[in-house]
Amino acid sequence: MDTKKFATRSEIKECKHPECKDRHIIGLDMGYSGAKAFHENGYFIFPNICQKMDGEIFGDLSKNDLIYEDLTSGEKYCVGLMASKSLSTDGTVAEDELLSRNHYNHPDFLIKFRTAIGLARWNIPDDEDLFIQTGLPPAYMSDEIYLRNAIQKNHDFAITSGKERREFHLNIKADQIDIMYQPMGTFYSSVTDASGNLTGNLKTFRNSNIMVFDGGFKTLDKFVVQGKQIKLKDSDATLGMQRVLEETRTLLLADLKSKGYNTSISIPAMQLCLKTGYIKVNDMINLEIKEFPIDEYLEKGNKIVRERAFESIKDYVFTTNYLILTGGTGAAWFDYFKERLEKVSTLKLIPGDYNSTLPFYYSNARGYYMYRLNQFKLTK
């Protein structure tokens, strides 16, 4: 098993997308594992991790090495890939706070949000009008008040990416933010072409029974429309990638304990294990570092959650015309779902990257952007 495909990526890409002439739109997906954004000058993803900096920078920084600076307090944090590299396998991380439903009140959320906004507005003047289109899991839409409370305010900060540093001074107001059902991001991405034009699929999908299956890190979101009515808008916090990693960790640590190694690992620190394919254990008695492959445990953990996730949609299989499978977790499960559903001739499985050249995990952010772009077109 390729463990790397389960890891959160880190990349910053520059390219031109269709734009709104009088507003700077950001399609922002602040996922639990990574912040993803789609904007007129590119797209990016970075792991949703930050660590306070106490020492000076030594050596050169790459473009993916991000430093956030609060211009009011002067505090600095490394963010994303740079922060994930600083996590030790057996280090302590406040998982309950960082991965809880109400993580918007945690100081780290604001740091990661501002980092994402800064990267998206890297070459955009502060006085150019901003609009943020984002989303929430369908069953968590009542949390909109907490999300808005966290981001509707003045923001004075600086971001360093590689050798470049930018300062930002923004006042984000209520009318500069819109929050939709998260899976609808992928829906709008799937019906919009690279030029930002709505395709014929919009009418087809709207006149069909459709399910968007959004496998994310924290939640598995299911959005079902039948007979032009929303029949289900469900968010299950027990069937996302976090659950896969928890099952993997349980199996891994139990086996290591049986071999005489008592160790621990946080869910954020498991990102490094996914990228390398093994966990490192420090043997303090023999002064030795031992490496244990994790693919066997990941395969078992993934199978447990994947099969439960599939069972959760079986009641809709024969009444659904189009099943759009999206999200990073959805991407990892796509082949499995395709095999299980190949004999259901009335159902067509649509990949989350339909009509896009970007991976599944950008689908919501891209759809947020394209939706808002078309909404502004209609109001002109």
Side-chain angles (χ1 to χ4, degrees), residues 12-14 61-66 119 160-163:
I12 302 172
K13 299 292 187 179
E14 296 179 10
L61 299 178
S62 73
K63 189 175 184 178
N64 285 321
D65 290 326
L66 305 173
L119 290 176
T160 297
S161 173
K163 297 180 181 179

Side-chain angles (χ1 to χ4, degrees), residues 209-221:
N209 293 340
I210 189 168
M211 173 190 288
V212 181
F213 179 102
D214 186 357
F217 186 82
K218 175 71 174 180
T219 62
L220 167 60
D221 300 325

Side-chain angles (χ1 to χ4, degrees), residues 213-249:
F213 179 102
D214 186 357
F217 186 82
K218 175 71 174 180
T219 62
L220 167 60
D221 300 325
K222 288 165 285 187
F223 194 84
V224 178
V225 177
Q226 293 186 341
K228 297 189 177 182
Q229 297 179 64
I230 298 174
K231 293 294 186 180
L232 180 70
K233 43 183 181 179
D234 179 62
S235 301
D236 192 330
T238 69
L239 294 176
M241 185 56 66
Q242 180 183 344
R243 181 62 182 276
V244 172
L245 297 185
E246 288 172 346
E247 294 284 353
T248 301
R249 177 172 62 179

Side-chain angles (χ1 to χ4, degrees), residues 87-100:
L87 293 176
S88 61
T89 301
D90 56 356
T92 302
V93 175
E95 288 182 19
D96 291 342
E97 294 180 7
L98 296 176
L99 300 176
S100 73

